[in-house]
Amino acid sequence: MAAFNLSQYGINVEKIHRNSSVPVLYEIGLRKEPGTAISDVGALLVYSGEKTGRSPKDKRIVRNPESEKNIDWGPINIGLDEHTYFVNRERAIDYLNTCERLFVVDAFAGWDPKYRIKVRIVCTRAYHSLFMQNMLIMPTASELADFGTPDYVIFNAGGFPANSYTSEMTSKTSVDVNLENKEIVILGTQYAGEMKKGIFGVMNYLMPLEEVLPMHCSANVGEAGDVTLLFGLSGTGKTTLSADPKRKLIGDDEHCWTDDGTFNIEGGCYAKAIDLSAESEPDIFNAIRFGTVLENVVYDKNTRQVDYSDTSITQNTRASYPIKYIENAQIPCVAGHPKNIIFLTCDAFGVLPPVSKLSPEQASYHFISGYTAKVAGTEMGVTEPQATFSACFGAAFMMWHPNKYAELLADKMKEHKVNAWLVNTGWTGGGHGVGSRIKLKYTRAMIDAIHHADFEGVSFTKDESFGFEIPQNCPGVPSEVLNPKSTWADKKSFETTKAKLIGLFTENFKKFEAGVNADILKAAPKS
């Protein structure tokens, strides 16, 4: 049988490691990549270099007549002309040709065979190869033998910079997506998350073409087959709350909703490692072992024990591991239609109820809004909570207009009679600095109540401004906690703060109004 090669891309390096075993990748990484080590529990300790997070301002999508009309162009989806793309691509190929060895990962994105895509990663580091073998779904020996032509190829030449004098380049980092050539080119960043999110962006483009909804959410399933989706931006509890010992984890970050049900796009998890402990997140802590990649963490040079509280390299320390390392994982990562959708928000203003029920139109409105709030004190000069809005709870990865995803969500919710809930994991009794964070045990009790259908026989009160329904009772939660106004000592201040938050929602939604249908607009909060 002929040796595997990359000559079809103009790459002539002879030493290619394709879908290598974990021990082989460890050995090469430890020998050849400075800063690589083994932790005391067997994880591979790696350093991504100068970039320790994604570079969203350096991501470009090639403008092409085929896809141009579908893209929501703007500050997130920034255009690139085809000529510049090929300049960058040639720069990447030239660099790859200078390398002593290359790594190739041939694997799948999507657990449902009907919708999965074949992905090829070409990279220069053992760390990147192991990372993507964790994050994608690895083929069996027979599937690899029949792999054929991949649907998408990533050329990761991140160890070499883009030429910042090249037209339309804003720095020495460039992540270019070409939907027609079915390629992604990476220059000037060795942060592994660019590959993971690059594939997610592609799935966010492709799936709506097949009436499938791609989602930036976690998902789990109960013993009765009832699926819950949890949407939420950073800091809202998406990972913590989806790891439920009473339910099986479908996935922690990227899913699709089809006519058949739900599937995970990924084969692994990419968990934040900041302040990680066996007590706070045992599932993730126990998943860190041989085969796991620990990215940009600080460790004791003698014992190789990791200090998860040390953020001197970056706040964005990460662990990448196969989902099979989670004891309670649903493998294959496929399940039925969702029964409940939960939008998680950390409302630092303290005015949203800890749990409320949404109509399908309200669900679409909150989905498009994607609201959470940062607390005061995280940045110099920030003295009060800062509202953050990210459309579809993942605007950075969505290529279509948010309404495309919102309408798919509303249609599927109505067809399958799905309940939608807004769960506030933020403040109660006042905003940040006055009130207190809602207790995690209360939030868990509310989510348990959703799963056990405990709210079905309970009376609700309608919030006249937001329109959502607030349950009056919940097992394990004091009833006064459920109504945010009753927890505030200063009722007038509550109304003032609530009006301010409604104003922020209204102002944010103005940019979507032209592309959103009338029913969703009617579901907006009213001051």
Side-chain angles (χ1 to χ4, degrees):
M1 193 172 118
F4 181 82
N5 68 74
L6 298 168
S7 58
Q8 69 267 45
Y9 309 116
I11 297 171
N12 303 308
V13 176
E14 288 185 13
K15 201 179 286 184
I16 294 171
H17 303 272
R18 184 189 188 211
N19 289 23
S20 297
S21 70
V22 174
V24 166
L25 293 174
Y26 264 57
E27 287 170 10
I28 297 170
L30 291 164
R31 285 185 190 139
K32 300 288 184 180
E33 296 173 23
T36 304
I38 301 178
S39 82
D40 62 339
V41 294
L44 191 69
L45 299 161
V46 299
Y47 180 49
S48 68
E50 183 188 345
K51 299 276 185 171
T52 58
R54 288 183 303 102
S55 302
K57 289 183 169 59
D58 296 309
K59 190 188 87 177
R60 302 283 185 275
I61 300 168
V62 177
R63 289 186 180 273
N64 188 288
E66 282 292 303
S67 58
E68 193 167 9
K69 63 186 181 299
N70 299 331
I71 307 292
D72 185 31
W73 300 105
I76 291 168
N77 295 313
I78 305 166
L80 184 72
D81 69 90
E82 198 170 50
H83 174 78
T84 304
Y85 170 77
F86 283 114
V87 169
N88 287 343
R89 185 185 188 277
E90 184 162 329
R91 192 172 175 91
I93 298 295
D94 287 347
Y95 172 67
L96 293 171
N97 271 319
T98 68
C99 296
E100 174 196 357
R101 69 182 76 236
L102 292 175
F103 300 88
V104 170
V105 179
D106 281 345
F108 304 111
W111 280 87
D112 186 335
K114 200 196 284 190
Y115 298 102
R116 75 184 183 188
I117 63 170
K118 294 186 290 185
V119 177
R120 173 166 291 165
I121 313 292
V122 181
C123 55
T124 65
R125 294 186 64 175
Y127 140 48
H128 286 158
S129 182
L130 180 55
F131 175 90
M132 288 309 285
Q133 287 185 194
N134 285 346
M135 299 318 300
L136 292 169
I137 301 150
M138 296 306 291
T140 62
S142 62
E143 285 173 333
L144 186 60
D146 296 334
F147 197 77
T149 304
D151 297 310
Y152 268 80
V153 181
I154 295 180
F155 298 107
N156 187 346
F160 196 66
N163 184 337
S164 54
Y165 288 101
T166 303
S167 165
E168 299 191 64
M169 292 298 100
T170 45
S171 75
K172 290 189 175 294
T173 298
S174 186
V175 179
D176 304 337
V177 181
N178 190 324
L179 293 167
E180 270 61 45
N181 274 45
K182 300 185 175 180
E183 294 175 346
I184 298 173
V185 169
I186 299 172
L187 292 165
T189 173
Q190 295 185 68
Y191 178 65
E194 294 287 9
M195 296 181 286
K196 164 190 154 72
K197 289 304 188 189
I199 295 299
F200 185 43
V202 165
M203 290 294 277
N204 272 305
Y205 178 75
L206 294 177
M207 290 297 102
L209 293 169
E210 302 189 56
E211 295 302 310
V212 170
L213 174 63
M215 305 171 292
H216 188 218
C217 69
S218 59
N220 61 28
V221 58
E223 285 180 11
D226 56 305
V227 173
T228 293
L229 306 178
L230 295 105
F231 292 84
L233 299 174
S234 184
T236 58
K238 185 175 62 155
T239 301
T240 303
L241 294 165
S242 65
D244 184 332
K246 301 178 289 297
R247 298 171 66 80
K248 287 195 166 185
L249 182 71
I250 302 167
D252 76 327
D253 196 45
E254 303 174 6
H255 294 84
C256 289
W257 187 355
T258 73
D259 288 341
D260 302 317
T262 314
F263 71 83
N264 188 354
I265 292 171
E266 300 185 292
C269 303
Y270 192 34
K272 287 188 173 173
I274 186 170
D275 293 330
L276 186 64
S277 70
E279 295 73 38
S280 64
E281 293 181 272
D283 287 340
I284 296 170
F285 190 85
N286 293 330
I288 295 173
R289 53 184 191 260
F290 184 75
T292 297
V293 176
L294 274 179
E295 203 173 43
N296 300 320
V297 297
V298 177
Y299 58 93
D300 185 298
K301 295 294 184 283
N302 293 317
T303 65
R304 303 296 165 94
Q305 190 169 3
V306 174
D307 181 355
Y308 291 110
S309 64
D310 191 326
T311 56
S312 55
I313 296 173
T314 177
Q315 292 267 332
N316 189 35
T317 51
R318 293 275 186 165
S320 157
Y321 48 86
I323 196 163
K324 67 184 179 186
Y325 281 16
I326 295 286
E327 194 177 329
N328 218 22
Q330 165 98 344
I331 296 174
C333 304
V334 179
H337 294 288
K339 185 177 180 183
N340 292 290
I341 289 174
I342 298 172
F343 299 128
L344 298 168
T345 183
C346 175
D347 177 27
F349 292 96
V351 298
L352 289 180
V355 61
S356 53
K357 191 171 186 183
L358 307 175
S359 70
E361 292 74 25
Q362 288 165 353
S364 295
Y365 180 88
H366 284 277
F367 181 63
I368 291 173
S369 297
Y371 164 72
T372 194
K374 292 176 187 169
V375 299
T378 53
E379 295 170 32
M380 292 293 289
V382 178
T383 56
E384 59 176 37
Q386 301 280 301
T388 302
F389 295 93
S390 180
C392 309
F393 294 94
F397 322 115
M398 305 295 164
M399 292 200 197
W400 298 76
H401 187 281
N403 193 51
K404 179 79 169 177
Y405 304 102
E407 287 186 341
L408 275 168
L409 180 76
D411 289 346
K412 290 183 182 297
M413 280 183 63
K414 283 174 181 168
E415 183 182 348
H416 300 288
K417 297 180 173 56
V418 182
N419 297 312
W421 308 85
L422 185 65
V423 169
N424 174 21
T425 61
W427 269 254
T428 184
H432 180 259
V434 177
S436 58
R437 190 91 191 249
I438 294 166
K439 290 178 181 174
L440 180 58
K441 70 174 183 180
Y442 291 163
T443 302
R444 287 196 187 280
M446 291 175 224
I447 289 176
D448 283 347
I450 289 169
H451 289 148
H452 300 149
D454 290 334
F455 292 134
E456 283 185 9
V458 167
S459 59
F460 287 78
T461 57
K462 184 175 181 177
D463 184 289
E464 292 307 319
S465 303
F466 279 93
F468 43 52
E469 304 275 346
I470 305 169
Q472 295 303 285
N473 300 97
C474 176
V477 181
S479 56
E480 63 271 15
V481 171
L482 298 169
N483 185 345
K485 187 173 182 177
S486 68
T487 66
W488 282 56
D490 185 343
K491 308 295 191 230
K492 190 175 179 184
S493 179
F494 171 84
E495 294 296 348
T496 305
T497 309
K498 185 177 182 181
K500 180 181 178 181
L501 181 59
I502 290 168
L504 293 170
F505 266 93
T506 304
E507 186 60 33
N508 170 70
F509 213 81
K510 282 179 182 173
K511 59 180 175 280
F512 304 118
E513 285 176 356
V516 168
N517 71 44
D519 289 338
I520 295 173
L521 288 176
K522 283 179 198 163
K526 295 157 186 68
S527 52

